[in-house]
Amino acid sequence: MQLKTQLTLPHVGLTGFETPLSEEEGAIQASVHRFAREVLRPLGAELDKMSADDVVALGSPYYSVFTEFAKLGLSPELLAELPPEMAVRVESLIGEELGWGDAGLGVSLGAAGFPLQMATATGNRELIDLCTGKIGCWVITQPDKGSDVQVFDMAREWVPGQPGNKGNLWAQVRGDDIVINGQCSAWVSNGAVAQVALCYMSADYGNGFFEPDGRPNGLSVIVPLDLPGVARGRPLDKIGQRALPQGEIYFDNVRVPKRYAVALQDEYYGNMASTWSYAGTHMSQVFTGVARAAFEVALQYCHERKQGGRLLIDHQLTRFRLGDMLRRVELSRATARRSLAFARLSPSSHPYATASAKVTVTEEAMHVAGEALQLFGGAGTSREYPIEKLVRDARAALIEDGENRVLTMRLGLLAQQLYAEGWAQQ
Ligand SMILES: Cc1cc2nc3c(=O)[nH]c(=O)nc-3n(C[C@H](O)[C@H](O)[C@H](O)COP(=O)(O)OP(=O)(O)OC[C@H]3O[C@@H](n4cnc5c(N)ncnc54)[C@H](O)[C@@H]3O)c2cc1C
């Protein structure tokens, strides 16, 4: 027991009721917070008001986010040098500050690094050079293949006897070449601006597109997006995360050397699971930051607005509502960190497990942002205040990186699969 002789307020930091950060952790957090406050917040607010076309136009302020972020010196090597438990906490601190600054830009920065992260994980020098300094994206969903990209278990999750969903993007592997045709969905983050893509698609290795149980064969490959045959759709106009440029990418007989592949044949689904787990952990940190931002603006407003003869903060009901929001921010952070630690440190992570944390965090972020808007009263609906943007940003996250109902259903499927292997039966 920690014995106190005086009643003091608890130790609290930017990230709430946090055990003390080391000097290095504190310094990283402070510098990313400054970047979030001075660059992401104003830039995100400016881009939010622009049309989707203007956000991606040449000379748009959007592109400055990459040069400004690079100045922080937060390379993947920095995390690799830290002890594993500390690396998890630092990664979480960084992701939360990015989300606190602007969710759309936080996601854009994360997605931009996906191809390089994958190239680094493979250790392939040519691919690392291909991706370094480029804006990346992760191409996996397609117009007719959204939630279906998450189907792994044909026996439990698909119609018996029917082939799986081949989707609208596929590869043919012939000799030393991969030929790609089709298109990705309009939702691909950074799709409208990316220079390189980490692509997942159905594949024919010479024996058709399907495994004997009907599951589509797959292929994952890094594709430079300046190759002949690559074209773009118009950038997506949407309700939230408007600073994040989304859009379709079309592939017309795009020829890529087979050595750009990061997973072929039997390695496909395992590789895909790694990328998806990686994406899910980033989402959880970012939307913890969104929940915290919504809580903070509500806390401030309650210290400014008077009703019933007193400041809102002096009403018991309002304190309850703020307490409930703070509790949910803490819940989000704890869940986000635990899932990040599991994804990075467990010998065998799984995307349905990481995705479940994304569900919890984004549901909480939506709840907190909605309650914060409610605390603003009519002012909450005005574009003059920052809260309506946070609500719109959080709303998109309930679908982003997997729709939340379907993800929860798949957590149940995971429980069924684990139970069949003996889990929870002792
Ligand atoms: C902000 C944002 C960013 C995104 N970024 C990317 C990205 O970087 N890369 C990328 O490839 N994609 C990206 N996406 C796409 C995202 O992953 C998909 O939108 C998501 O997986 C859902 O797919 P869908 O939109 O096709 O919906 P659908 O799969 O068509 O789902 C529609 C509805 O049907 C329900 N449903 C679906 N399947 C089932 C089932 N088997 N049983 C019962 N109900 C079902 C769902 O619950 C949902 O309510 C992004 C999306 C958003 C919104």
Side-chain angles (χ1 to χ4, degrees):
M1 185 190 292
Q2 233 184 34
L3 282 185
K4 289 171 100 167
T5 52
Q6 284 184 332
L7 181 60
T8 55
L9 288 173
H11 174 85
V12 69
L14 286 174
T15 38
F17 303 124
E18 184 86 84
T19 49
L21 301 179
S22 69
E23 207 174 306
E24 197 175 359
E25 288 171 329
I28 294 172
Q29 185 189 45
S31 77
V32 187
H33 184 66
R34 202 174 315 112
F35 168 73
R37 197 184 55 231
E38 292 170 9
V39 178
L40 294 183
R41 281 249 166 127
L43 182 59
E46 183 183 357
L47 295 169
D48 182 61
K49 294 188 175 65
M50 289 165 59
S51 73
D53 287 315
D54 287 348
V55 167
V56 305
L58 230 62
S60 157
Y62 163 76
Y63 297 98
S64 66
V65 77
F66 297 105
T67 36
E68 292 300 319
F69 184 67
K71 289 182 193 162
L72 296 178
L74 297 171
S75 64
E77 295 86 62
L78 177 105
L79 288 180
E81 283 163 12
L82 298 174
E85 305 275 353
M86 186 173 165
V88 165
R89 186 147 89 159
V90 167
E91 188 175 347
S92 167
L93 293 171
I94 294 171
E96 180 171 331
E97 291 313 314
L98 297 182
W100 180 90
D102 184 83
L105 292 172
V107 171
S108 185
L109 286 167
F114 270 16
L116 180 59
Q117 291 282 356
M118 178 54 77
T120 307
T122 65
N124 180 323
R125 193 68 247 171
E126 185 182 15
L127 292 180
I128 295 171
D129 292 344
L130 200 71
C131 300
T132 301
K134 306 250 175 73
I135 303 174
C137 68
W138 176 35
V139 163
I140 182 158
T141 60
Q142 300 144 35
D144 298 321
K145 193 171 181 178
S147 305
D148 280 357
V149 299
Q150 307 157 12
V151 174
F152 305 144
D153 185 334
M154 297 304 283
R156 292 185 176 98
E157 268 235 276
W158 205 249
V159 186
Q162 281 198 20
N165 189 345
K166 181 181 152 196
N168 317 79
L169 184 64
W170 61 89
Q172 281 160 311
V173 183
R174 301 288 182 261
D176 290 337
D177 281 342
I178 297 168
V179 182
I180 304 172
N181 277 290
Q183 71 164 101
C184 66
S185 76
W187 323 118
V188 167
S189 303
N190 293 352
V193 293
Q195 297 157 309
V196 63
L198 174 60
C199 297
Y200 289 79
M201 65 193 78
S202 301
D204 170 17
Y205 292 90
N207 291 318
F209 281 99
F210 298 98
E211 294 174 9
D213 68 353
R215 195 164 73 159
N217 294 311
L219 176 147
S220 119
V221 60
I222 291 180
V223 183
L225 294 175
D226 54 0
L227 289 177
V230 175
R232 317 277 173 144
R234 276 194 72 181
L236 184 72
D237 191 15
K238 70 278 173 70
I239 65 164
Q241 299 178 45
R242 291 176 57 82
L244 169 70
Q246 293 171 273
E248 293 136 332
I249 306 172
Y250 298 93
F251 300 82
D252 180 11
N253 278 316
V254 175
R255 198 168 280 273
V256 188
K258 194 171 165 187
R259 61 179 194 279
Y260 288 3
V262 292
L264 293 162
Q265 292 185 318
D266 292 348
E267 289 184 2
Y268 173 74
Y269 283 97
N271 180 279
M272 194 262 249
S274 319
T275 311
W276 184 19
S277 274
Y278 186 82
T281 54
H282 185 63
M283 284 286 293
S284 293
Q285 316 312 314
V286 165
F287 285 90
T288 299
V290 170
R292 180 181 123 209
F295 163 74
E296 288 179 6
V297 293
L299 181 63
Q300 183 186 342
Y301 187 74
C302 288
H303 282 85
E304 294 164 359
R305 174 76 173 165
K306 252 187 176 178
Q307 285 296 286
R310 297 166 155 192
L311 286 172
L312 290 184
I313 191 66
D314 290 325
H315 293 290
Q316 196 178 28
L317 176 61
T318 311
R319 289 188 193 134
F320 168 81
R321 291 163 72 183
L322 286 166
D324 191 57
M325 290 162 73
L326 177 55
R327 176 180 72 73
R328 290 171 189 273
V329 175
E330 288 286 325
L331 164 69
S332 300
R333 184 174 300 115
T335 307
R337 286 234 186 124
R338 182 169 158 86
S339 94
L340 181 62
F342 182 73
R344 297 288 176 274
L345 309 179
S346 108
S348 181
S349 64
H350 193 287
Y352 292 173
T354 8
S356 75
K358 180 279 217 198
V359 173
T360 302
V361 170
T362 55
E363 299 284 339
E364 292 304 328
M366 188 67 225
H367 185 96
V368 172
E371 186 61 4
L373 188 148
Q374 200 75 10
L375 269 170
F376 271 75
T381 63
S382 157
R383 296 199 100 189
E384 261 181 52
Y385 293 90
I387 188 58
E388 60 83 31
K389 172 179 175 293
L390 290 167
V391 170
R392 288 186 286 109
D393 288 349
R395 186 61 187 85
L398 305 184
I399 295 163
E400 184 171 8
D401 200 29
E403 190 280 323
N404 280 4
R405 310 277 186 279
V406 151
L407 294 179
T408 306
M409 182 259 287
R410 296 211 157 108
L411 183 65
L413 169 64
L414 187 61
Q416 182 185 4
Q417 292 170 325
L418 292 170
Y419 186 82
E421 299 293 316
W423 180 62
Q425 293 190 44
Q426 296 83 6

